[in-house]
Amino acid sequence: MAIRPLMVAGSPVLKKKAAPVTSVTPEIRTLAADMIETLKAANGLGLAAPQVGESVRLIVLDRGYLAWDALPDEERKHTTCRYEPDVLVNPEIIAQEGIYEMEEGCLSVPGYRAPVQRAARVTYRWTTFDGEVRERSAEGLEAVAVQHEIDHLDGVLFIDRLSRVKRNIAVGKVKKFIASLDEEENETARRLYGKP
Ligand code: ZN
């Protein structure tokens, strides 16, 4: 397993519609293992393959964090959050309803966060590495995360859902963040964003 460099806003691969995974090849397994390691190093909640430069429909979600986040406040204080990455092959939203707004961030838009409006509840379907088809209904953070990651597979960043003014601010923040890594001590961030 290896950490792969993260693509940031402006990278052409993030604008492309990703291709479906037609068979789980050794390359796809390696990609998933690397995405799991990259997501952990980046301390993120979800990661889509285009974010590491591979235009295929594969995402990784940290189910451990989602379960921890969904706990009642009091219980959360006494519960350790575990990293439980789940690999979703060819995920898709099959039903959605309502409107919900939550502040989002993205590993491909480092240094910027903003509220985004999405569906409040979704039902999503995906395939596991064993070829099993799974389906789940979700709301709250899980629903937001799934929509955010599937957007990546369609070449859409969360800032594409904002006004042009906000999008320009975001692009400026990303440039500033990447430039700051030249002087910064944070070795993990430098590795993640491909700074030697
Ligand atoms: Zn993202």
Side-chain angles (χ1 to χ4, degrees):
M1 292 212 287
I3 289 176
R4 299 205 186 186
L6 291 166
M7 305 292 123
V8 297
S11 167
V13 70
L14 293 175
K15 285 268 165 211
K16 267 175 73 176
K17 194 171 165 70
V21 176
T22 48
S23 72
V24 180
T25 60
E27 287 75 22
I28 290 287
R29 284 185 190 274
T30 303
L31 171 62
D34 289 353
M35 284 170 63
I36 285 171
E37 192 169 336
T38 306
L39 181 62
K40 188 175 187 188
N43 220 355
L45 169 60
L47 186 67
Q51 294 182 275
V52 293
E54 299 293 336
S55 197
V56 290
R57 304 188 81 81
L58 192 73
I59 68 175
V60 175
L61 276 183
D62 180 3
R63 297 238 181 249
Y65 185 85
L66 289 173
W68 179 83
D69 182 78
L71 290 173
D73 286 349
E74 199 47 39
E75 214 176 314
R76 201 183 309 123
K77 275 187 227 157
H78 307 288
T79 310
T80 312
C81 181
R82 271 199 220 104
Y83 184 52
E84 287 166 13
D86 189 17
V87 179
L88 284 67
V89 178
N90 299 330
E92 55 181 330
I93 307 279
I94 55 172
Q96 62 179 67
E97 58 166 4
I99 297 174
Y100 185 65
E101 191 176 81
M102 184 185 267
E103 191 180 80
E104 295 184 27
C106 177
L107 294 174
S108 294
V109 191
Y112 184 76
R113 296 181 70 81
V116 183
Q117 263 192 16
R118 297 191 184 271
R121 285 167 296 281
V122 298
T123 301
Y124 62 107
R125 183 189 288 157
W126 72 99
T127 307
T128 68
F129 271 175
D130 300 324
E132 245 178 82
V133 177
R134 295 257 171 90
E135 216 175 279
R136 244 179 96 83
S137 292
E139 56 183 9
L141 183 61
E142 180 178 347
V144 168
V146 165
Q147 291 173 82
H148 177 120
E149 297 311 328
I150 292 178
D151 258 2
H152 277 301
L153 305 181
D154 293 325
V156 177
L157 293 175
F158 83 93
I159 55 172
D160 295 328
R161 296 188 173 277
L162 306 177
S163 67
R164 179 183 289 270
V165 173
K166 284 186 180 169
R167 207 154 55 230
N168 287 340
I169 292 170
V171 169
K173 296 260 187 194
V174 170
K175 283 193 182 131
K176 220 168 135 185
F177 175 87
I178 298 296
S180 78
L181 293 177
D182 288 334
E183 301 125 45
E184 226 188 86
E185 300 290 304
N186 188 340
E187 207 190 311
T188 307
R190 290 171 65 107
R191 269 176 83 195
L192 285 167
Y193 292 100
K195 288 271 174 172

